[in-house]
Amino acid sequence: MTAALPASARYASTDASAGVRECAHCALPVPSARRGDGDGHAFCCDGCATVYAILHDHGLTAYYDLKAQDADGERVAAATTDHGYREYDDPTFAERFVVGDPEGARIDLYLEGVHCVACLWLIERLPELVPGVREARLDITRSVVRVRWSPAEVELSTVARWLDRLGYPPHPYRASHLQAARKREDRRWLMRMAVAGATAGNIMLMSFALYSGDFFGMAAPYAHFFRYGSMLLALPAVFWAGQPFLRGAINAIRTRTAQMDVPIALGILAGFFSGVVNTVRGEGDIYFDSVATLIFALLVGRRLQQRQQRIAADAAELKHALTPLHARRLHGDVATDIPVMAIAPGDRLEVRPGEPFPADGAVDEGETTVDAAVLTGESRPVAVRPGDPVHAGTVNLSGRVVMRAERTGLETRVGQIMEAVEEAARRRAPITSLADRISGWFVAVVVVLAVGVFAAWATVSVELAVDRAIALLIVSCPCALGMATPLAVAAALGRGARAGILIKGGDVLERLTRPCTFFFDKTGTLTEGGFRVLAWHERPGERGLVSRVAGIEQHAVHPLARALVAHAGDPEKIAPERITHAIGKGLKADLDDGRYRVGSVAWIAPGGPADLDGWASARLDDVLATGATPVLVARGEQVVAVVGLGDEVRSDARASLDALRAWGHEVQILSGDHPAAVARTAERLGVAEARGGARPETKLDVVEASVRPAVMVGDGVNDAAALSAAAVGVAVHGGAEASLAAADVFITRAGVGPVVELVAGARRTMGVIRRNLVFSLLYNVVGITLAATGVIGPLGAAVLMPFSSLTVVASSYQARTFPSPRRS
């Protein structure tokens, strides 16, 4: 189809002078093979051509005008697929994801490829394209669209296919219910903060009037009005906004455990009820302003900490994060899309190249290679044939296969790993913070002292005794002590997040200050995580082999093939019909100068070095000595090149491990990769203990058996159970969703250096906490002494108390616990 360019033709144009044509839809460069010779519009891919046609056929070319207004925005090719989405019409799918609605039905869908306001405009035109769709509202910040439609007029699969054809492949938004619950919780917490802040401000205004009246005089009716007004305003602050602390104290008393909510609640109630008594009496000091301010400050501090502690996903969703949402079940030769929840043992399922396996089972037909790193950590793909087992979550790399399902859902291996993650998380006992440990004796000391002071002063005057006891309780209100830890932790967590280190709780920082055993995964953690050509040995006299080998391998999806293509940069163009795949072995191609084979040593030289001449055998030994994976290139019967592929050790790994050892930590490598590759990496990094070929269950056992507190650092699902069971689990950049959810820390930056920054930041944070606690206790000792001796009364105590809190706040937020992000 040919259509006139819209007004925004400047967005998608042809640069004839440079010889480069831009896609008429997305403006990305058009590959030379797709440019053609005519003057018609060119497209970088079939997806862009499809979307371009739809927009023009339905009069939606205003999309390009909006696109042109964002000339500096991201250019993204349309990500259309050929998926039919029939599983969206299955009752089991609807039961889980579809919500009944007065207008018919509603679903939240996550969309790929959303990146600008033009996308928003186009997606919300969906009702104009699909009869039966009532509304489409896109939350562009989360790429989530809420679709309302009439099931009697249109099937959900049709709606999904239209979104796909527009360039936005949809997926059910699994976290919608979780997000709704969190929004409700956030709303309640913010309302509590608002009430506490508003009441504190208004009570302060009334208190200012009362304090002025003490100096300049005030008529009794006005004084009573301000006193009772302050008391009434304090009621919602204490009994609604302060409810989390009161409830926590009640629970602590019921369970006979000492925690900071107990002294906090004691201070709040003592100040409030002493103010009530003095209000009714019409004389004496009232402390409603101090109580309301204390509640507001504590709510803010706890809210800051709570935001950092939220986990990436709830446990129920972990089990579904690694497997596809749909599968193709075969009835004879006919394939039908079904949700994975509908798979039954014995079903025959078709799995195409590039797709994950939806269940555990065995290969029934076909041969392929499988990327099992998600479960085993093994970086080298595994060849499978009929009868060989396959597991849910692993990825089919090279050939179409038919598998027979044996275990589904929680019974799969990945499901069992996630169960182990949850079980380990439940077993892990929370480490009580320093402030909570202090509060056990602090509460008892304050109560005993208050009783003692009352008894001592009662011999002089009961009124003085009450005044001194209340002053002691007010001045010793553990405001500074209660905020010493959470404010320091909240400040550190915020600084860590800005530095790319996301920490889920303050207890994590405390654990990292003790001597630990660090268990590092290898692939993707200590190494770069992707294959690359480390050595290329070409027989003398050969020319152009790099380009030819890459030209052959560009027709494969194997990770080793991608590394060879990337090494060449500009591969030779070789017709696909001249390429033959040997599953699990390599590729062969008939070229103008002979038959080439590129693949494993076992395929090209079945007899090993004995089948190779002196040059090839020597080069093979060189590659094996480095721990790299060897690939041979043969023309006819002669090996013309020996290539070594491997995963390069990160440049900062050695220095980072040395820094951890200098702090008294032990370092080990615990990896699912091949033992020879692990041993070679350990040698380069100076690590004495290293274990390769470790299954997820093995990693879990090793971590649990560690004598020292274990710190597991990894990036894969095979690390998830160990991450959860460890004293501290650290998921590094690029990790799988399940590992991120299981870990205590997620590092968004690549490299091992951020792990060292994490430990250094934890050490500095604990120093700040200790400094805050020392100051808080020193303040309480001085304040209690002054109150008990009568140097200060309740009013003086109420004035003195906020200064301790302000000092703790300044100490916490001025501390440089984590490095500031670099400015570009």
Side-chain angles (χ1 to χ4, degrees), residues 521-555:
D521 180 42
K522 183 185 80 72
T523 305
T525 304
L526 295 174
T527 63
E528 297 290 346
F531 279 108
R532 66 176 64 184
V533 174
L534 302 181
W536 183 285
H537 302 288
E538 198 169 283
R539 187 176 291 274
E542 294 291 339
R543 294 289 185 273
L545 275 180
V546 174
S547 179
R548 289 201 157 197
V549 168
I552 296 170
E553 293 292 329
Q554 69 180 337
H555 302 291

Side-chain angles (χ1 to χ4, degrees), residues 384 710 754 782:
V384 295
V782 173

Side-chain angles (χ1 to χ4, degrees), residues 377-681:
E378 170 63 67
S379 58
R380 300 170 183 175
V382 179
V384 295
R385 297 173 176 81
D388 289 344
V390 289
H391 297 282
T394 60
V395 180
N396 178 14
L397 289 177
S398 53
R400 173 191 177 275
V401 295
V402 176
M403 67 169 292
R404 191 171 294 276
E406 296 174 358
R407 292 174 299 278
T408 63
L410 296 180
E411 296 180 357
T412 62
R413 190 175 175 200
V414 69
Q416 292 171 356
I417 291 174
M418 292 302 99
E419 284 289 300
V421 169
E422 293 180 44
E423 179 61 28
R426 284 192 292 265
R427 285 201 309 268
R428 179 164 55 191
I431 295 180
T432 307
S433 68
L434 288 174
D436 280 347
R437 290 202 294 269
I438 293 173
S439 68
W441 59 263
F442 179 83
V443 175
V445 169
V446 168
V447 172
V448 170
L449 283 176
V451 172
V453 167
F454 177 83
W457 282 96
T459 60
V460 179
S461 166
V462 173
E463 184 175 342
L464 281 177
V466 172
D467 192 70
R468 299 293 182 263
I470 290 176
L472 187 148
L473 286 172
I474 292 297
V475 80
S476 64
C477 178
C479 180
L481 185 62
M483 292 192 297
T485 297
L487 280 183
V489 168
L493 298 186
R495 287 190 176 275
R498 288 191 291 273
I501 303 173
L502 308 180
I503 307 165
K504 292 181 180 176
D507 54 348
V508 174
L509 300 173
E510 184 180 359
R511 295 177 202 145
L512 288 170
T513 59
R514 303 169 184 170
C516 301
T517 297
F518 278 74
F519 294 97
F520 281 88
D521 180 42
K522 183 185 80 72
T523 305
T525 304
L526 295 174
T527 63
E528 297 290 346
F531 279 108
R532 66 176 64 184
V533 174
L534 302 181
W536 183 285
H537 302 288
E538 198 169 283
R539 187 176 291 274
E542 294 291 339
R543 294 289 185 273
L545 275 180
V546 174
S547 179
R548 289 201 157 197
V549 168
I552 296 170
E553 293 292 329
Q554 69 180 337
H555 302 291
V557 295
H558 197 288
L560 298 181
R562 292 195 292 268
L564 291 169
V565 173
H567 179 68
D570 186 18
E572 184 175 323
K573 294 179 174 57
I574 299 174
E577 58 268 17
R578 303 173 67 185
I579 306 295
T580 304
H581 291 260
I583 301 299
K585 300 174 183 178
L587 287 86
K588 56 185 176 181
D590 292 322
L591 305 185
D592 51 7
D593 59 342
R595 169 167 288 189
Y596 281 80
R597 287 182 296 157
V598 184
S600 66
V601 176
W603 181 42
I604 295 177
D611 287 352
L612 302 174
D613 59 22
W615 177 88
S617 179
R619 299 294 79 75
L620 178 61
D621 289 341
D622 292 342
V623 168
L624 291 174
T626 66
T629 299
V631 172
L632 302 184
V633 181
R635 184 174 59 238
E637 298 302 320
Q638 185 183 49
V639 173
V640 294
V642 180
V643 186
L645 295 102
D647 195 5
E648 194 67 75
V649 173
R650 293 188 184 275
S651 58
D652 63 347
R654 180 62 186 257
S656 299
L657 299 189
D658 289 343
L660 292 175
R661 286 187 282 252
W663 281 326
H665 300 294
E666 182 183 353
V667 175
Q668 298 184 23
I669 298 178
L670 185 59
S671 173
D673 209 347
H674 192 278
V678 174
R680 176 63 178 166
T681 301

